């Protein structure tokens, strides 16, 4: 087996300079990941150990998705805890015991750290160990941090999956592990395609149930489905797994190359992938061709948010004909994104981190046709006459794989169509340079 398969020659932005900014940044914290993780791992519970602000954030981010028996909650640290007047560990034990007595359906409990729990240095790993000792084997208690001091919103998923890795059983089997939470519908499509390609043993992290979490070992090859999983990858590599170099399965091109990389790692040639994916590629390419006139030459500006910016920008440029004004990302993992960098049009302005005022100035000066940004920036930019897309929707919507590529394009096409309908002027668009 060959774990590293060079797919594209170094070109594009592989060696381009990156504008690194370290200033005020506007991005959700890692608690946000709970919103999609609690839907994915169906017998897990996420207990945020935090403040009323934290409770408010996940309640409003989860919004309509709250179930009759929710699978997340916040243990509120009050003034007495914060002032060190109460033993927060005792209180946490009481909350957890009450919760687990009432909810026999919970099989994995994540204690999720926040800014307040970090400020008072509440050792949640000790708490998780103590509570696991008490409740195993019925419930496993793990911990990770979703604090805004340490994480941006997709890093919450990375921290959660990295916390799971030490609990995975050891396996000597040759297998492919697809890493990163995907909506079930997308996971099912990938499982089908990978089976048709002939990879016999394919597992997904995270699994939908605690008892079904995959094993890992030296025979495991990792295929990342998300670009924000640096810690999880490191943890899996420390268990002997090896990463398959690939772009991300966004758009026809990305999905095909991603499948080819997986196939190649198991000694299966691209001809098999071409045969298996022919009809899906044809259908999706035709659908994208119909959307392409709406994107041709349209100028796109990405603020840093989800770390999905590079693959999505690459898809918009190469498959829809958009022009990239700036592609910002909170972190640029050069190794994991090597193929994506090589595929970006040469000369694309790349930025890592954020100094929000400077970036807003660049955006205003460029007046792009569409700006991908966080909720906090979208309203002011809209008020200034710019068309925006909320980055967080890209994480909540199924966007990976063939069938979803036209839906992904639609996410951007809709606000641009609306802007065209209201006759939103973009006077600088003709004059401003692309890069
Ligand atoms: Fe705010 Fe920090 Fe709580 Fe996130 S973890 S909601 S940034 S206080």
């Amino acid at each position: 087996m060959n774990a590293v398969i060079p797919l594209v020659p170094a070109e594009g932005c592989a060696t381009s300079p990156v504008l690194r900014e370290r200033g005020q940044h506007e991005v959700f914290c890692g608690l946000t990941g709970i919103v999609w993780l609690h839907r994915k791992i169906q017998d897990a519970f996420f207990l945020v150990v935090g403040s009323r602000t934290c409770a408010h954030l996940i309640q409003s981010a989860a919004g309509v998705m709250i179930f009759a028996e929710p699978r997340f909650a916040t243990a509120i640290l009050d003034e007495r805890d914060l002032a060190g007047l109460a033993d927060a560990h005792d209180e946490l034990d009481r909350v957890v015991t009450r919760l687990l007595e009432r909810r026999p359906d919970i099989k994995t409990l994540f204690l999720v750290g926040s800014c307040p729990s970090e400020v008072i240095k509440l050792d949640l790993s000790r708490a998780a160990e103590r509570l696991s000792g008490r409740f195993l084997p019925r419930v496993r208690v793990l911990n990770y941090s979703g604090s805004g001091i340490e994480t941006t919103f997709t890093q919450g998923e990375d921290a959660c999956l990295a916390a799971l890795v030490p609990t995975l059983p050891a396996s000597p089997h040759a297998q492919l592990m697809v890493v990163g939470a995907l909506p079930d519908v997308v996971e099912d499509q990938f499982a089908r395609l990978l089976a048709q390609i002939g990879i016999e043993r394919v597992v997904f992290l995270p699994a939908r149930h605690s008892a079904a979490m995959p094993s890992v070992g030296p025979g495991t090859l990792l295929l990342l489905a998300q670009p924000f999983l640096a810690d999880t990858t490191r943890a899996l590599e420390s268990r002997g797994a090896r990463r398959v170099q690939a772009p991300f399965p966004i758009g026809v091109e990305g999905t095909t190359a991603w499948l080819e990389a997986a196939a190649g790692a198991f000694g299966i040639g691209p001809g098999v992938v071409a045969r298996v994916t022919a009809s899906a590629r044809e259908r999706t390419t035709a659908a994208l061709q119909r959307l392409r006139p709406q994107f041709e030459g349209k100028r796109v500006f990405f603020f840093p948010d989800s770390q999905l910016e590079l693959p999505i920008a690459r898809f918009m440029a190469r498959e829809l004909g958009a022009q990239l004004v700036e592609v910002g990302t909170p972190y640029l993992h050069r190794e994991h994104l090597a193929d994506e960098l090589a595929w970006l049009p040469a000369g694309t302005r790349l930025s890592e981190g954020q100094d929000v005022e400077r970036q807003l100035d660049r955006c205003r000066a460029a007046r792009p046709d569409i700006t991908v940004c966080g909720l906090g920036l979208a309203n002011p930019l809209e008020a200034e006459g710019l068309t925006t897309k909320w980055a967080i929707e890209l994480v909540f919507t199924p966007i990976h794989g063939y069938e979803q590529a036209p839906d992904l394009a639609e996410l951007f096409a809709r606000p641009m169509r609306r802007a065209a309908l209201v006759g939103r002027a973009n006077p600088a668009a003709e004059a401003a340079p692309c890069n």
Side-chain angles (χ1 to χ4, degrees), residues 29 31 53-54 57 114-116 146-148:
C29 66
L31 297 189
T53 311
C54 309
L57 173 92
S114 65
C115 304
S147 141

Side-chain angles (χ1 to χ4, degrees), residues 54-79:
C54 309
H56 185 68
L57 173 92
I58 57 164
Q59 288 281 343
S60 45
V64 292
M65 297 179 225
I66 293 180
F67 298 97
E69 278 287 38
R71 277 189 278 104
F72 55 84
T74 308
I76 306 284
L77 292 166
D78 61 22
E79 288 76 14

